[in-house]
Amino acid sequence: MRPYIPGKPLVEVKEELGLTEVVKLASNECPLELPGLVLETILKQATDLTRYPDGNCRILGRELASRLGLQTDCLLFGNGAEECIRLVAQAFLNQGDQAIIPKPIFDAYETATILCGAEPVMVPLIGYDIDLKSISAKVTEKTKLIWLCNPANPTATVFNKEAFDRFLAELPENIVVVLDEAYYEFVTDKNCPHTEHYLFKDDRVIGLRTFSKAYGLAGLRVGYIMAHPEVIKLIAKVKLPFNVNVAAQAAALALLREENFAKGHVELICRERERVARSLAENGLKSPVSQTNFLFVRLPGSGDEVFRELMPKGFIVRPGSIFGMPDHIRLSLGSEDQNDGFLKALDEALN
């Protein structure tokens, strides 16, 4: 197994290079500070830390279900989307099974598959896109589960609803399909499929979402699974009793009720991804149309080299070599000022 390599931490870069200001654009995090109301809510919870949290996240679940138009028994919460991935794998994968995974993609799917004794079957992207026909062609009698990320990470692209519907219609009935929608809130493509369209139409579809991206709670870890209630019952059997802590539940609930923060954050990112992509294109640097809070940028040379050049200038990006695409970088979108600074630093690095 390969260890997960996280984006370089701010503290480490500051210490290594003696910098006081560093902008991290490597891990698709929120560039804004959380609203004061959320911080106050977290502090209030600090008076009750001697008690275990609600293991079923009942209050958060009711609020979220109401907003999604679902029943509460269609939801299961986890310690970030990563734990949700592990829970699905533990519930459905056994020794000798196969799980199909597009490549390159977020490596948590492969790790979870291997940990359950199953075999990961990797299917290359076509260009920047997950190709559902290629995935269908890899299905065998051993296939138990298919991991899909839509929008995809690291390429930021989506497949459309028509293609997904055809894919499901042709798929054997005993195969689970995971639709990871970590970047759901940033999607503007009206033809993108979403989990809630399928829960009672096709119980093979399991959705994953998170409060780490649009809601800015990457540091507190709150993710959730969306599935048919009978499927949720199966996955709940392998969940740890108190997996989402008190502060995380309180902060997620406060952000759901305080709608303006996430809305403003998403509007900023959607506006900036168009502007930054346009600026990069004017300088001959192409990226696929993004439906996320990041861009996957092709460079004229080595992404690792540009990554190293940018760090002393105070910018951390994700080199594409991690994903097997060494002439790319993945660029998280920051505030307008941060993005302007990055564009200037990138221009200097390339020259």
Side-chain angles (χ1 to χ4, degrees):
M1 289 180 62
R2 296 187 304 273
Y4 177 70
I5 303 171
K8 222 162 168 54
L10 289 170
V11 173
E12 185 180 332
V13 174
K14 286 180 179 179
E15 287 178 353
E16 282 181 6
L17 302 175
L19 299 173
T20 55
E21 285 295 322
V22 176
V23 178
K24 187 181 178 188
L25 302 174
S27 299
N28 307 337
E29 297 156 321
C30 173
L32 307 176
E33 291 186 2
L34 290 173
L37 174 66
V38 175
L39 301 178
E40 289 171 16
T41 301
I42 294 171
L43 287 173
K44 283 180 183 176
Q45 293 300 318
T47 62
D48 197 27
L49 297 184
T50 58
R51 306 295 179 185
Y52 289 110
D54 176 357
N56 293 314
C57 304
R58 288 176 180 84
I59 299 174
L60 176 59
R62 284 198 296 268
E63 189 81 25
L64 181 59
S66 173
R67 290 168 186 275
L68 294 172
L70 297 175
Q71 305 161 211
T72 54
D73 56 2
C74 289
L75 299 174
L76 184 74
F77 290 87
N79 187 252
E82 287 92 342
E83 190 198 17
C84 294
I85 290 167
R86 295 281 180 99
L87 292 176
V88 172
Q90 288 172 333
F92 292 103
L93 291 176
N94 295 301
Q95 192 85 20
D97 290 336
Q98 291 181 341
I100 300 177
I101 309 171
K103 184 180 181 180
I105 208 161
F106 183 41
D107 61 3
Y109 315 125
E110 183 178 1
T111 301
T113 298
I114 294 170
L115 282 173
C116 292
E119 177 191 356
V121 177
M122 312 306 289
V123 179
L125 305 187
I126 302 295
Y128 293 110
D129 299 325
I130 293 174
D131 184 64
L132 297 175
K133 289 183 179 178
S134 299
I135 289 172
S136 292
K138 289 289 185 179
V139 170
T140 71
E141 290 182 358
K142 292 184 177 181
T143 305
K144 179 72 75 68
L145 191 152
I146 296 172
W147 299 103
L148 299 175
C149 188
N150 201 47
N153 179 12
T155 58
T157 59
V158 295
F159 50 78
N160 63 44
K161 190 174 184 301
E162 289 80 5
F164 189 54
D165 287 346
R166 284 196 302 271
F167 171 74
L168 290 175
E170 295 168 3
L171 200 66
E173 292 183 1
N174 62 328
I175 297 175
V176 173
V177 178
V178 176
L179 195 60
D180 187 342
E181 297 185 272
Y183 302 94
Y184 161 78
E185 291 87 355
F186 301 99
V187 174
T188 55
D189 186 338
K190 303 297 185 188
N191 204 24
C192 181
H194 296 304
T195 305
E196 50 271 63
H197 301 150
Y198 298 93
L199 296 191
F200 290 94
K201 187 170 72 173
D202 192 331
D203 60 10
R204 295 173 298 174
V205 177
I206 298 174
L208 306 177
R209 290 185 190 164
T210 180
F211 281 85
S212 294
K213 308 303 181 185
Y215 290 94
L217 285 186
L220 279 178
R221 319 306 300 121
V222 187
Y224 57 98
I225 298 168
M226 305 165 63
H228 188 283
E230 294 302 316
V231 176
I232 290 292
K233 285 180 184 177
L234 292 174
I235 301 171
K237 292 180 180 181
V238 298
K239 183 183 80 68
L240 292 172
F242 307 109
N243 58 335
V244 182
N245 70 64
V246 170
Q249 290 187 41
L253 181 62
L255 280 164
L256 276 180
R257 290 174 173 171
E258 201 287 308
E259 298 175 343
N260 290 333
F261 175 78
K263 182 181 177 185
H265 175 214
V266 169
E267 288 174 353
L268 165 71
I269 295 302
C270 290
R271 185 169 64 247
E272 283 297 291
R273 77 184 177 199
E274 288 187 23
R275 185 179 74 88
V276 174
R278 188 165 57 247
S279 180
L280 291 169
E282 287 169 358
N283 288 299
L285 301 177
K286 294 183 178 179
S287 58
V289 175
S290 173
Q291 291 289 293
T292 65
N293 64 347
F294 61 86
L295 297 171
F296 197 55
V297 185
R298 186 171 186 177
L299 303 171
S302 165
D304 284 343
E305 202 170 306
V306 169
F307 165 74
R308 289 190 293 268
E309 289 281 340
L310 286 171
M311 271 201 297
K313 301 177 188 297
F315 292 92
I316 311 172
V317 297
R318 196 81 156 134
S321 56
I322 291 167
F323 307 108
M325 300 179 79
D327 57 346
H328 287 71
I329 57 170
R330 193 187 66 190
L331 161 69
S332 306
L333 292 153
S335 67
E336 186 174 347
D337 287 345
Q338 289 171 342
N339 294 334
D340 284 342
F342 164 79
L343 290 168
K344 183 175 182 295
L346 179 63
D347 190 52
E348 292 170 358
L350 291 174
N351 290 326

